[in-house]
Amino acid sequence: MRIGLMADSHDRVPAVAVLLDQMIAAGVGMILHAGDYCSPFVFKPFEERHISLAGVFGRNDGDPEGLVSRAQAAFGTELFESPHSFELGGQRILLVHDIGDVLQRSIEAHAIVVHGATHQQELKSRGDTVIVNPGEACGWLFGAPQGAIIDLDSRHVDFLSLDAADWRR
């Protein structure tokens, strides 16, 4: 099972839309989002593509009630407080905005940890745990909207990075 990973969208709808298109073309069935959507309208590309989203809130989500309301009206969208622990495809996953908010033992209790906050793509492991930051979907800080795809069976991660020509319309 291939899952798309995003974080730090910060309202950049055109970039989110192109990242979703690339993820769907690569066989992704749903998205995990590690927070900082900012405004409810960022869910529009998810709704238009009818792709499921499970996500946590970040520090810059200024309208949590609006986000939840829009998420409930959307196709297969669920939002949780960070951190959120769940099982998907036989893997125990921890979805958190800022990895500094969780204890080491909590990280090690999961097969996969997805986080955001730093806006930088990163892949590392601690013991048997794969830790992924998909980067910033917005591209505001480092210039290129980014995401990732993880294969839950192999736990292999592919990073995505958009060129300006890919998404600026």
Side-chain angles (χ1 to χ4, degrees), residues 115-131:
H115 71 98
T118 67
H119 290 238
Q120 295 181 312
Q121 288 181 329
E122 181 178 55
L123 176 63
K124 58 186 176 180
S125 61
R126 290 190 190 153
D128 292 332
T129 304
V130 173
I131 303 166

Side-chain angles (χ1 to χ4, degrees), residues 1-2 8 11 27 32 37 40 53 57 76-77 82 85 87 91 104 118 120-121 125 132 138 154 161 167:
M1 175 186 284
R2 293 171 59 83
D8 301 295
D11 292 340
L32 300 180
Y37 315 91
L53 165 74
F57 292 107
T77 302
S82 179
S85 177
E87 189 168 317
Q91 301 286 346
Q104 179 67 28
T118 67
Q120 295 181 312
Q121 288 181 329
S125 61
V132 184
C138 63
S154 66
S161 187
W167 65 276

Side-chain angles (χ1 to χ4, degrees), residues 29-169:
M30 76 173 295
I31 307 296
L32 300 180
H33 196 297
D36 277 0
Y37 315 91
C38 291
S39 298
F41 62 79
V42 80
F43 291 134
K44 186 173 182 178
F46 295 91
E47 294 167 1
E48 292 173 343
R49 286 153 184 81
H50 302 287
I51 189 157
S52 297
L53 165 74
V56 295
F57 292 107
R59 290 196 179 100
N60 291 298
D61 292 325
D63 183 9
E65 293 83 15
L67 288 165
V68 168
S69 177
R70 182 75 182 255
Q72 290 173 341
F75 177 85
T77 302
E78 294 184 277
L79 298 180
F80 304 93
E81 292 297 326
S82 179
H84 179 63
S85 177
F86 59 100
E87 189 168 317
L88 182 65
Q91 301 286 346
R92 193 86 191 132
I93 298 173
L94 181 65
L95 185 58
V96 59
H97 182 64
D98 187 340
I99 198 167
D101 292 341
V102 295
L103 298 173
Q104 179 67 28
R105 70 176 184 251
S106 183
I107 292 169
E108 293 169 354
H110 293 83
I112 299 167
V113 176
V114 180
H115 71 98
T118 67
H119 290 238
Q120 295 181 312
Q121 288 181 329
E122 181 178 55
L123 176 63
K124 58 186 176 180
S125 61
R126 290 190 190 153
D128 292 332
T129 304
V130 173
I131 303 166
V132 184
N133 184 331
E136 59 175 2
C138 63
W140 291 122
L141 294 182
F142 298 104
Q146 301 171 326
I149 298 171
I150 188 165
D151 183 297
L152 292 184
D153 297 324
S154 66
R155 297 196 289 162
H156 174 79
V157 175
D158 291 312
F159 286 110
L160 305 173
S161 187
L162 301 181
D163 292 326
D166 292 334
W167 65 276
R168 289 193 180 168
R169 307 171 200 189

